[in-house]
Amino acid sequence: MFDIEKIKTDFPIFKHHPDLHYLDSGASTQTPQVVIDAMNDYYTTYRSNTHRGMYTIAVKATEAFENARAIVARSLNAQDQEIIFTSGTTHGLNALAYTLTPRLSHRDNVVITKMEHHANLVPWQQMAKHYGFELRFIDVTSDYRLDMESAKKLIDKNTKILSFTFASNVLGTVNPVKELVALAKPFRTITIVDAAQGAAHFPIDVKDIDCDFLVFSGHKIYGPTGVGVLYGKKVMLEEHLEPFFFGGDMVVEVSLQSATWSEVPARFEAGTQNIAGVIGLGAAIKYQESVGWENIIKHEEKLTAYLLQQLQGIGIHVIGPSTPTNRIGAVAFSLPGIHPHDIADLMGTENVAI
Ligand code: PMP
């Protein structure tokens, strides 16, 4: 049975701050005890490096790390080798922008949308300056939805990359992810989905979406900070993506002048990883699944509808879709004549975190 009061007791922050009204999950979620326990267990009982030692705790650390990869892979309907651990969404998007754009020229274009987070805008901007390709932006409609007519016009035979957000952290808009990817297919455009927000609100099936890459962060899905996922289709990882960090654990043979790369995903995970973070991320995904996607989606729809209705009822201007359909619960609003900083400050004094 879905019991929100019971779920709240899973989060130790509310024991320490019983009056906290935490409405800032779009920025970073709180951490359930099971995630903290999984990481503590690693630190207190088997802390060691992975993929190196033959002693008992090192073997256990490697198993726990790879088990977390298997949990992530299963949750996305992907293969284990298609999961690369990163430090978060920003890391994943930068890695893709840096490695996929050097072969582009002034004849090519990259398409993103006008509702991207800076993490999916600035890296492409910088690479466009460097390599001379055109950066195009899919429009947003007056109801803050993505303008699919604009998308159809902008994506063409010279579009080498289409990168867009699953859901907007500002507007709350959920984009037609599958349709967007389908628009790019005839042009063999590489598709990238920023699921930083999406992964907190919906189960994700990368095979169904059919995207080439998808990225998200642990801290937005009840996991720890400093860990994230870069999913890549196996053929993309093996044939299209160059390693973006170099060092230990990603090489097979090294001489003074050259090196050869390990299999995927190891070739993309140079150096010691955020082992506790990865283990915590695995526990967070299991926690999300234990609450149940149907319950999460239903509860969020109810809260979003209530919030929109209440805000609109007192004449507050909502910047985002006005109904809860195809919308997450991130709600932006403005009050004429009052600076957002002052609103957030005032609400903070009432223990309302926005
Ligand atoms: N994309 C979106 C849609 C986001 O909401 C965020 C975080 N607000 C990011 C990217 C960046 O995520 P991170 O800070 O975890 O790298």
Side-chain angles (χ1 to χ4, degrees):
M1 237 267 293
F2 180 72
D3 178 351
I4 195 66
E5 286 309 319
K6 187 174 165 299
I7 286 172
K8 207 167 165 184
T9 64
D10 295 338
F11 292 80
I13 192 93
F14 296 114
K15 287 195 192 99
H16 297 279
H17 303 277
D19 297 328
L20 176 65
H21 304 283
Y22 192 75
L23 305 184
D24 204 19
S25 299
S28 205
T29 52
Q30 291 297 335
T31 325
Q33 190 63 48
V34 282
V35 170
I36 299 166
D37 288 347
M39 292 191 292
N40 275 347
D41 190 33
Y42 163 71
Y43 278 127
T44 50
T45 71
Y46 62 99
R47 178 179 165 136
S48 47
N49 214 322
T50 51
H51 307 126
R52 291 166 176 78
M54 307 301 274
Y55 47 93
T56 312
I57 60 170
V59 171
K60 188 167 175 189
T62 301
E63 279 174 3
F65 186 86
E66 290 304 326
N67 182 45
R69 194 190 308 277
I71 292 170
V72 174
R74 183 188 35 70
S75 78
L76 295 176
N77 193 20
Q79 301 173 40
D80 292 10
Q81 307 105 292
E82 295 177 313
I83 304 303
I84 299 161
F85 290 114
T86 63
S87 69
T89 305
T90 303
H91 176 178
L93 290 169
N94 272 276
L96 291 172
Y98 270 95
T99 48
L100 295 175
T101 54
R103 67 188 81 152
L104 303 195
S105 74
H106 66 279
R107 284 182 301 275
D108 301 319
N109 68 72
V110 169
V111 175
I112 63 171
T113 82
K114 285 188 180 168
M115 62 166 85
E116 295 312 312
H117 186 277
H118 292 165
N120 196 31
L121 165 63
V122 184
W124 304 112
Q125 255 175 20
Q126 296 307 305
M127 294 303 124
K129 271 190 202 155
H130 206 72
Y131 297 110
F133 60 84
E134 183 192 353
L135 188 57
R136 297 181 173 177
F137 304 90
I138 301 173
D139 248 319
V140 176
T141 65
S142 56
D143 191 31
Y144 305 100
R145 303 280 179 191
L146 208 60
D147 183 344
M148 292 302 278
E149 290 311 310
S150 158
K152 282 178 202 157
K153 277 189 210 129
L154 293 178
I155 301 166
D156 62 21
K157 65 180 192 334
N158 295 324
T159 305
K160 298 299 181 227
I161 298 166
L162 167 67
S163 185
F164 62 92
T165 193
F166 192 121
S168 163
N169 59 307
V170 176
L171 305 173
T173 310
V174 175
N175 287 323
V177 179
K178 261 178 86 166
E179 286 89 327
L180 278 165
V181 170
L183 281 184
K185 285 285 151 193
F187 304 112
R188 301 165 68 96
T189 302
I190 292 176
T191 51
I192 302 170
V193 179
D194 170 1
Q197 293 294 329
H201 302 271
F202 303 102
I204 290 175
D205 181 332
V206 288
K207 290 223 169 56
D208 185 45
I209 295 173
D210 202 20
C211 54
D212 295 311
F213 297 101
L214 181 138
V215 293
F216 62 91
S217 303
H219 71 98
K220 289 193 200 279
I221 61 163
Y222 314 101
T225 58
V227 68
V229 169
L230 164 54
Y231 154 82
K233 252 185 203 167
K234 198 157 171 250
V235 59
M236 281 287 153
L237 298 183
E238 284 177 342
E239 294 171 22
H240 294 273
L241 198 69
E242 295 295 324
F244 37 81
F245 281 135
F246 305 96
D249 227 26
M250 54 83 67
V251 281
V252 180
E253 274 179 38
V254 183
S255 69
L256 288 179
Q257 297 296 344
S258 66
T260 57
W261 312 143
S262 308
E263 298 288 303
V264 295
R267 75 171 72 148
F268 299 109
E269 292 179 350
T272 298
Q273 300 294 297
N274 180 354
I275 301 165
V278 166
I279 291 167
L281 175 60
I285 289 174
K286 277 172 74 178
Y287 177 78
Q288 244 182 341
E289 291 173 348
S290 76
V291 175
W293 280 111
E294 224 177 285
N295 292 327
I296 292 172
I297 291 168
K298 243 201 250 160
H299 184 67
E300 183 180 1
E301 259 181 29
K302 202 170 80 180
L303 286 178
T304 308
Y306 178 75
L307 178 59
L308 289 171
Q309 199 186 21
Q310 294 298 312
L311 288 175
Q312 286 156 1
I314 52 171
I316 288 180
H317 176 57
V318 169
I319 305 158
S322 49
T323 62
T325 317
N326 288 334
R327 196 197 199 297
I328 57 170
V331 175
F333 62 90
S334 67
L335 284 174
I338 309 181
H339 195 282
H341 190 112
D342 294 334
I343 300 172
D345 195 20
L346 197 68
M347 290 185 77
T349 61
E350 299 286 334
N351 267 328
V352 180
I354 63 166

